[in-house]
Amino acid sequence: MKNIQLLGWVLVVVGSFLPLVHVPIIGNWNYWKLDHYLAIACWILSACTLFGIVNNSTKVVRTFAVFLILLFIFTLVAVKLQSLEYFSFLPFKSWRETFAGIVKLKWGWIIEFLGAFLMIATKSTNKTQV
């Protein structure tokens, strides 16, 4: 099962470089372009999961994979709220929501969540020899 956890780890790390958000005219943004601190937090949590994978500690891997999922959810909410705030100068709420809707989520989020869920879903196979 260590290989599946490593595959999940690779998906999370590679997913942070894939397009996560599309902003018209500006283009696609990955984690680093969204926010440097969130990207660093993602990579630190990924390093902690790698530490757990290498040391066969399923508990550590699952704990930090849950933290990764919480970070991804926090980022999605932050992107939505930031896009609404960016157009706060518009006089009508419906206009703000319409313009904020042009900021689209991209397919990189599927890779991020899939990697984290793979790390959580694996069972430990620690067998002791007698």
Side-chain angles (χ1 to χ4, degrees), residues 50-119:
L50 182 62
F51 176 78
I53 292 169
V54 170
N55 291 323
N56 291 326
S57 177
T58 307
K59 188 175 182 179
V60 170
V61 173
R62 286 185 180 166
T63 301
F64 284 104
V66 168
F67 288 154
L68 280 168
I69 289 173
L70 292 175
L71 176 71
F72 299 155
I73 291 170
F74 172 77
T75 305
L76 289 172
V77 170
V79 165
K80 182 64 177 171
L81 292 176
Q82 187 64 29
S83 64
L84 283 170
E85 185 179 315
Y86 185 73
F87 294 105
S88 64
F89 65 90
L90 295 172
F92 301 109
K93 186 177 181 182
S94 63
W95 289 5
R96 281 181 256 164
E97 291 173 357
T98 301
F99 279 99
I102 63 174
V103 176
K104 301 291 183 192
L105 300 177
K106 298 298 280 185
W107 56 275
W109 287 112
I110 296 170
I111 305 298
E112 292 278 12
F113 279 104
L114 178 65
F117 282 125
L118 276 176
M119 288 187 279

